[in-house]
Amino acid sequence: MLRRRLGVPDAVLIGLGSMLGAGIFASLAPAARAAGSGLLPALALAAVIAYCNATSSARLAARHPASGGTYVYGRERLGDFWGYLAGWAFIVGKTASCAAMALTVGAYLLPGHAHTVAVAAVVALTALNYTGVQKSALLTRIIVAFVLAVLAAVAAVCLTSATADPARLALTADTTAKGVLQAAALLFFAFAGYARIATLGEEVRDPATTIPRAIPLALGITLAVYALVAVCALLVLGPHGLAAAPAPLTEAARAAGAGPLVPVVRAGAALAALGALLTLVLGVSRTVLAMARDRHLPHALAAVHPKYKVPHRAELLVGAVVAVLAATTDVHAAIGFSSFGVLVYYAIANAAAWTLTPAEGRPPRVVPALGLTGCLALAFALPVPALLSGTAVLLAGAAVHTLRRTATHHY
């Protein structure tokens, strides 16, 4: 049993550490491309659905405090197949997130060689993870503080710049409902991480009150920061300038006439993305380990290194897949594919939360209902390539599960 030592401020900080990362550095451009001047309504929509998902996850975590997230909740509440599908969606979605984070490092550090830098970052962090090195709580605090300082600096120079034009915030004829939905789905990528609070059940003092308080606080702070950054980027670049920017916040600082700030923004984005990448690879490899132990994935992947005590085969496999993706895809495709997997994962979490009884701490019925319909609506509003590839990978996973069950029944 882990020690219950975290209060509300600690839980909020962990939530901020999970969310206030590289997502905002990467997802503004593809979201602006989809929504045009409807970027801010899309951000609000993404936040509402993230809140529903986080609330459903928190209530489920209080009821089922085992590690594994929706892989466990789906299995316990909806049946083995839905738990498996949630785990599969998580693995493929978060593997694409890893590639997006690696490509974000490349886009900000060496824009002309983003793929090379991305692959090097994946190899280096996989090697670190292999030896059991994990991101400490202190390092998380340092990264969050630095990223917040960078975002505050970008906001300050944009708001005080002579090039800032409030007219660029106005909704224009290019805003469509489909575009806003698609942008919300892509921005959902920037909110991923709030479930980290829900999984702290064993380490939080009085989890029944601490977790429900910490989640809306962390989400609210994150939304406020993201809204400020989005407004500032729009003021100096406009929706079309933002849509075309390979490294949006670097371009915003440059457009605001703050050239000396550009290297600081590059460093902040790279540090945030590296921190997120390290945590993501850990999370994906641990889910692979859990599914391999249950024989939903090849059992050989459940091996734990005798010296380093890490799931080394799972980590090497995840590292290899992410390196290939980082070498061959672009950041916008990776974000779209990642959002599809994660939205399916949370749709299953909301469906599982719907089955809770009032005695089990069920949230108000509107929360899982809005979360489920919102996740599915956003998933199907994603760009067609992300939708097709995501659906194909999910169907492949479902087929593997069906074949395995058929083979088991034969024997």
Side-chain angles (χ1 to χ4, degrees):
M1 194 69 176
L2 299 170
R3 267 177 53 226
R4 296 193 182 277
R5 54 193 171 74
L6 302 175
V8 173
D10 300 302
V12 169
L13 189 82
I14 288 164
L16 291 177
S18 304
M19 280 183 285
L20 271 179
I24 192 65
F25 291 97
S27 59
L28 280 179
R33 190 182 291 179
S37 58
L39 181 65
L40 297 177
L43 184 63
L45 179 60
V48 168
I49 294 170
Y51 172 75
C52 294
N53 298 346
T55 304
S56 289
S57 297
R59 300 299 175 92
L60 287 161
R63 184 70 193 159
H64 304 281
S67 62
T70 306
Y71 171 57
V72 173
Y73 315 147
R75 187 183 65 206
E76 296 296 321
R77 312 294 316 187
L78 304 169
D80 185 66
F81 173 75
W82 294 106
Y84 165 84
L85 197 66
W88 181 251
F90 178 85
I91 288 171
V92 297
K94 292 297 186 181
T95 300
S97 292
C98 291
M101 290 300 91
L103 287 162
T104 301
V105 177
Y108 278 90
L109 280 187
L110 270 179
H113 305 277
H115 289 285
T116 310
V117 175
V119 173
V122 173
V123 171
L125 288 186
T126 302
L128 266 179
N129 276 338
Y130 192 92
T131 56
V133 174
Q134 296 190 18
K135 196 169 66 166
S136 69
L138 175 64
L139 185 60
T140 301
R141 289 176 190 220
I142 293 168
I143 291 175
V144 170
F146 185 57
V147 170
L148 276 174
V150 168
L151 294 176
V154 171
V157 298
C158 291
L159 288 172
T160 56
S161 167
T163 56
D165 181 2
R168 293 186 178 122
L169 298 177
L171 286 176
T172 57
D174 69 343
T175 304
T176 63
K178 185 175 187 297
V180 170
L181 273 176
Q182 189 175 111
L186 295 166
L187 285 165
F188 193 82
F189 177 82
F191 284 103
Y194 44 76
R196 207 72 43 83
I197 305 173
T199 58
L200 294 173
E202 287 183 51
E203 296 172 75
V204 169
R205 290 194 297 270
D206 191 14
T209 54
T210 298
I211 292 175
R213 277 185 197 163
I215 283 176
L217 265 173
L219 261 176
I221 294 167
T222 302
L223 175 63
V225 172
Y226 285 0
L228 176 63
V229 171
V231 164
C232 293
L234 285 170
L235 282 172
V236 294
L237 292 173
H240 300 297
L242 186 55
L249 299 191
T250 304
E251 293 306 316
R254 194 176 281 127
L261 188 61
V262 168
V264 182
V265 176
R266 287 193 193 286
L271 183 64
L274 284 168
L277 181 57
L278 183 60
T279 310
L280 278 166
V281 171
L282 281 170
V284 175
S285 58
R286 269 49 178 187
T287 307
V288 169
L289 170 73
M291 291 183 74
R293 280 179 172 161
D294 292 345
R295 298 185 183 272
H296 284 311
L297 291 174
H299 193 61
L301 294 171
V304 174
H305 196 283
K307 180 182 174 186
Y308 298 123
K309 307 297 181 198
V310 296
H312 57 295
R313 289 178 186 167
E315 286 188 348
L316 288 175
L317 177 67
V318 170
V321 172
V322 173
V324 170
L325 287 174
T328 54
T329 60
D330 75 335
V331 70
H332 295 183
I335 288 173
F337 185 84
S338 169
S339 292
F340 182 85
V342 177
L343 284 163
V344 168
Y345 175 84
Y346 280 115
I348 294 170
N350 283 300
W354 178 269
T355 69
L356 290 168
T357 64
E360 291 174 315
R362 185 181 74 205
R365 271 281 159 92
V366 68
V367 171
L370 184 59
L372 175 60
T373 51
C375 283
L376 293 176
L378 292 192
F380 286 99
L382 280 163
V384 173
L387 184 59
L388 292 178
S389 57
T391 304
V393 172
L394 271 192
L395 288 174
V400 168
H401 183 268
T402 307
L403 287 171
R404 199 182 58 80
R405 286 199 62 170
T406 309
T408 308
H409 286 311
H410 270 314
Y411 294 111

